[in-house]
Amino acid sequence: MGSVVLFAACEKKAPPSSERPPAPVTVAAAVTQDVPHYIDAIGKFVAREMVSIQPQVSGRITQIHFVDGADVKVGQVLFTIDPRPYQAQLNMAEANLSQAKAALELAKINFDRVASVTDQRAVSRQDHDAKKNAVDVAEAQVKQNQAAVENARLNLDYCTIRSPIDGRAGQRLVDLGNVVTANSGSLLVIQRLDPIYADFTITENDLTVVQRNMAKGTLKTEVRLSDETERPRDGKLTFLDNSVQEGTGTVKLRATIANDDRRFWPGRFANIRLILGIQQSAVLIPAEAMQMSAKGSFVYVIKQDSTADLRPVTVGQRQGDLVVVSKGINSGERVVTSGQLGVTPGGKVRISEPTKVENTPAPANAETKS
């Protein structure tokens, strides 16, 4: 009897089941979208036009008509060089021209007198030729003095230095009263900032796909500042270099971007996305769903019976917070986005609602503490 009682006691104290409780997870459904196929690169902004202003005549700076950093228009006066010496040269050249014209008139009168004689015996051939030659010489003198007048007038015009482009002036390199030498040294640098260029490079391995897509039409770009992750500005690819750079194996490209608000500045770094084309009906999942193993990328897919299926995937390009999956996931399937550490293949899961963080804007008159 004692042994029976002992057996009965053992039956009552059997250990409970060791089945693992469902792992709490959050999930998201795979979606289908048209997404861009792109190349990301880092480049620099470059002014579309940059002009170094140099004097074309020598003299003393008598006036400066702008302030450093000002926006200037084409034809706007920038500097004035003392025009008095060049005005005197022009006056002298005009006087010489008048003298040459008077000499020409006299030579013509003398030749007309000889040419109008009807009796050829009254005028020697030598005298006739001398009078005709005097007219030719006088005409040449007139042309020479006309050229001198034009040159003097041009030098006088060069005393007023104007902007050749629309742009932004840099810091002037001369002050009032400085003496400058013709075609020597720079007075000022002007840069045109709208539109602006973004120069960047790609590897020679990407050159083929870029050329293939360029044959279909102009490629678009998205350009951001290096300290900004949002607000890209659209541009166009406008230049592809004609050779691969030796030593680096890269090719130079250039995008042109509107910059009327001066958001982009020459010399700053730029994050550039070159759009090669559009991938139709791509499957995307949240990037945080991706997991890595020794065999490659995988995700946990939640089946209808709330069990987890470990699914190897082939990953494409990232699209913001999402990533393209080219193989392994179908649109609409649910993938685990958090709680992966507690998930086992084939194990049960408990789907939790993700915590919602409301972005409540502060009142307009709220104080900001630093």
Side-chain angles (χ1 to χ4, degrees), residues 27-31 38 283-292 297-300 313 315-325 335-338 340:
V27 300
V31 296
Y38 60 85
V283 177
L284 297 98
I285 62 173
E288 60 265 27
M290 299 302 306
Q291 302 293 302
M292 290 295 298
S297 301
F298 71 93
V299 295
Y300 286 114
V313 293
V315 183
Q317 289 185 312
R318 185 155 179 163
Q319 307 289 337
D321 294 333
L322 305 177
V323 65
V324 174
V325 177
V335 296
V336 177
T337 56
S338 66
Q340 290 95 331

Side-chain angles (χ1 to χ4, degrees), residues 300-320:
Y300 286 114
V301 177
I302 305 304
K303 298 189 292 186
Q304 293 297 327
D305 59 358
S306 296
T307 59
D309 179 25
L310 189 151
R311 189 83 57 82
V313 293
T314 302
V315 183
Q317 289 185 312
R318 185 155 179 163
Q319 307 289 337

Side-chain angles (χ1 to χ4, degrees), residues 49-54 56 72-79 160-169 188-192:
E49 294 176 347
M50 184 172 66
V51 178
S52 177
I53 305 298
Q54 289 186 326
Q56 293 178 276
V72 296
K73 297 293 185 180
V74 60
Q76 180 176 332
V77 179
L78 304 174
F79 299 95
T160 303
I161 301 176
R162 303 175 184 273
S163 174
I165 62 171
D166 293 338
R168 182 181 176 89
L188 174 71
V189 174
I190 301 174
Q191 297 188 93
R192 183 178 179 185

Side-chain angles (χ1 to χ4, degrees), residues 99-138:
Q99 184 178 4
K101 287 181 177 179
L104 175 61
E105 290 299 322
L106 179 59
K108 286 182 177 180
I109 292 173
N110 291 333
F111 177 70
D112 288 342
R113 287 174 180 171
V114 173
S116 62
V117 176
T118 57
D119 189 355
Q120 297 296 326
R121 293 173 298 175
V123 179
S124 67
R125 185 66 181 177
Q126 182 179 0
D127 190 26
H128 178 276
D129 292 343
K131 294 294 190 293
K132 185 177 185 302
N133 181 68
V135 172
D136 294 339
V137 171

